[in-house]
Amino acid sequence: MPENVAPRSGPPAGLAGGRGRSAYQDRDKPAQIRFSNISAAKAVADAIRTSLGPKGMDKMLVELSKAQDIEAGDGTTSVVIIAGSLLDSCTKLLQKGIHPTIISESFQKALEKGIEILTDMSRPVELSDRETLLNSAATSLNSKVVSQYSSLLSPMTVNAVMKVIDPATATSVDLRDVKIVKKLGGTIDDCELVEGLVLTQKVANSGITRVEKAKIGLIQFCLSAPKTDMDNQIVVSDYVQMDRVLREERAYILNLVKQIKKTGCNVLLIQKSILRDALSDLALHFLNKMKIMVVKDIEREDIEFICKTIGTKPVAHVDQFTADMLGSAELAEEVSLNGSGKLIKITGCASPGKTVTIVVRGSNKLVIEEAERSIHDALCVIRCLVKKRALIAGGGAPEIELALRLTEYSRTLSGMESYCVRAFADAMEVIPSTLAENAGLNPISTVTELRNRHAQGEKTTGINVRKGGISNILEELVVQPLLVSVSALTLATETVRSILKIDDVVNSR
């Protein structure tokens, strides 16, 4: 460039120094702030963007979480975090030009090795070892909102599962045999386990609230005057005819009630009817005179549980209502819950069908919902131990062990495989790192310390969130079923492999 070209016109020399310069320097700041705000907003938008539409990423992760819930019942958060971390590793591997198929196959290899490692570090457990079962349930409850009540809820969930299975032969638990009844009012301290049946419906005839040596019938027909098949109107213009109609109705209902009484039934459960009133006032009057306790509006979905619990059979027509269709129990009574409503309890069943009921109480709807979810998770943890009778340490210990052992394993492989397995191993560190972060510890130094301890052979060392440090997690009784860890690892890896296979999007109309 020629030297004699005049410089561009700039600010006057006087302004260039002193105050002017500081004004120019400050002008950068608003731009920086704008950029930082824009990038923050973009990050949020990017996070939400993947969840747009019915095929969005959050749907995939929700499905993943559901799958973990069905398989293990606990570890639903962990499975999503592991999947996210593995996806992060995939991104880096793909950017390095490694083919998706190689990544996918390597991840499968790492998963198989990972399950082997987890099984090696687990310890077998017997269902007769009540202490261990309690610790497992307590560990699950400790991460929930109702954690301060874990000393009450843990024994309750363990007892519930043990009552509905035969520990010697059981390979799984049908959680439908443990019914959770929610009742507003009171506190979580008022939750209780009832061996028998608990109904939230009220007794229809308030005069009879307690029946000993109960004979219980369950009917699915209506105790009210029959209707015509089609929607007809009948005009009765004569008092004599009117009287006759009423007399017939009275005789019809009295006949039904007498047949019920004849079998020796003294507690009658009536299924909800959508076509007409399941129970007319007249029928209730007769039943009351015959000292039969009546509970109406039994839901269709509760029928199976009721039959299993008290050994009764549902009757669809009065002609089939015989003594052998009745269930029996020591006591059926309506219990008042200190000012917050009433419950009907049927206890002392003669032939209990291996079912129990947990009554969940709470001061508001949110607390009750949360308590129910927590109890469900704790029940699932015990179910996991029935399915696969082995325990593993919690607190991030299995994941660090996986990271360490898989890194060693990657050295025995060659080429790209070795690289991918190493990335899989590194991704496992997300769980201890997140645990440390959420406990207010320094994630980097904590994970490094954990790695050192595990390298020295301390397999059960994990993060102790309560004490804010690292300790032997088994001694602290932070344990989880092996099935939870294995299931989380398997499902997360399968999801990531599925996502890797997606290489195009077809617009569907």
Side-chain angles (χ1 to χ4, degrees), residues 213-260:
K213 298 277 182 283
K215 292 279 180 201
I216 306 154
L218 173 58
I219 61 171
Q220 296 178 308
F221 55 87
C222 299
L223 292 180
S224 55
K227 277 186 174 177
T228 51
D229 288 341
M230 289 182 293
D231 212 5
N232 289 337
Q233 277 189 332
I234 299 165
V235 179
V236 181
S237 55
D238 184 6
Y239 279 127
V240 178
Q241 287 175 316
M242 185 74 190
D243 230 23
R244 188 174 157 209
V245 168
L246 289 172
R247 251 201 331 272
E248 283 291 330
E249 184 181 332
R250 194 180 169 88
Y252 172 79
I253 289 176
L254 188 57
N255 179 39
L256 285 179
V257 175
K258 276 183 174 168
Q259 276 181 269
I260 289 170

Side-chain angles (χ1 to χ4, degrees), residues 190-203:
D190 300 327
C191 292
E192 59 174 330
L193 181 69
V194 178
E195 280 187 67
L197 189 62
V198 175
L199 300 170
T200 50
Q201 288 87 347
K202 292 192 177 93
V203 173

Side-chain angles (χ1 to χ4, degrees), residues 303-344:
I303 298 287
E304 194 183 336
F305 184 82
I306 291 171
C307 294
K308 200 170 180 182
T309 306
I310 54 182
T312 182
K313 296 188 183 81
V315 183
H317 194 275
V318 72
D319 293 347
Q320 275 98 44
F321 197 86
T322 52
D324 59 337
M325 300 299 248
L326 302 180
S328 54
E330 287 297 313
L331 179 65
E333 66 172 334
E334 188 175 53
V335 188
S336 181
L337 302 168
N338 51 38
S340 55
K342 293 176 176 178
L343 282 176
I344 298 166

Side-chain angles (χ1 to χ4, degrees), residues 24-246:
Y24 279 117
Q25 282 170 345
D26 286 347
R27 230 176 257 176
D28 286 347
K29 202 171 181 191
Q32 280 169 0
I33 288 169
R34 262 187 219 109
F35 279 127
S36 66
N37 281 344
I38 288 168
S39 57
K42 265 178 72 181
V44 173
D46 283 344
I48 297 168
R49 195 181 68 193
T50 58
S51 64
L52 185 67
K55 291 277 190 288
M57 188 65 195
D58 70 333
K59 317 297 183 294
M60 248 178 168
L61 295 179
V62 166
E63 289 305 316
L64 171 64
S65 195
K66 275 186 193 164
Q68 173 74 359
D69 196 38
I70 291 164
E71 177 61 29
D74 199 16
T76 43
T77 318
S78 309
V79 75
V80 174
I81 294 173
I82 293 172
S85 183
L86 287 173
L87 285 170
D88 202 26
S89 299
C90 286
T91 313
K92 290 170 188 163
L93 294 171
L94 289 167
Q95 281 169 349
K96 290 194 165 64
I98 300 173
H99 197 278
T101 310
I102 294 173
I103 301 174
S104 180
E105 285 171 1
S106 306
F107 275 20
Q108 183 58 30
K109 254 191 180 174
L111 169 65
E112 285 160 13
K113 184 72 179 170
I115 293 172
E116 204 180 294
I117 294 164
L118 286 174
T119 312
D120 278 351
M121 68 178 289
S122 69
R123 60 181 189 136
V125 64
E126 291 301 320
L127 292 183
S128 54
D129 181 1
R130 186 179 165 79
E131 195 61 37
T132 307
L133 298 183
L134 284 172
N135 292 339
S136 309
T139 303
S140 168
L141 290 166
N142 279 339
S143 63
K144 309 285 187 285
V145 176
V146 294
S147 56
Q148 69 265 40
Y149 297 103
S150 66
S151 57
L152 166 77
L153 299 178
S154 309
M156 202 181 287
T157 51
V158 172
N159 292 344
V161 172
M162 287 301 131
K163 290 243 175 14
V164 300
I165 61 164
D166 176 4
T169 56
T171 53
S172 185
V173 182
D174 186 351
L175 289 183
R176 284 175 301 188
D177 291 343
V178 181
K179 188 173 172 62
I180 298 177
V181 172
K182 295 178 283 190
K183 187 73 179 166
L184 203 60
T187 63
I188 293 178
D189 284 321
D190 300 327
C191 292
E192 59 174 330
L193 181 69
V194 178
E195 280 187 67
L197 189 62
V198 175
L199 300 170
T200 50
Q201 288 87 347
K202 292 192 177 93
V203 173
N205 45 350
S206 50
I208 306 163
T209 56
R210 180 184 169 92
V211 176
E212 288 183 15
K213 298 277 182 283
K215 292 279 180 201
I216 306 154
L218 173 58
I219 61 171
Q220 296 178 308
F221 55 87
C222 299
L223 292 180
S224 55
K227 277 186 174 177
T228 51
D229 288 341
M230 289 182 293
D231 212 5
N232 289 337
Q233 277 189 332
I234 299 165
V235 179
V236 181
S237 55
D238 184 6
Y239 279 127
V240 178
Q241 287 175 316
M242 185 74 190
D243 230 23
R244 188 174 157 209
V245 168
L246 289 172

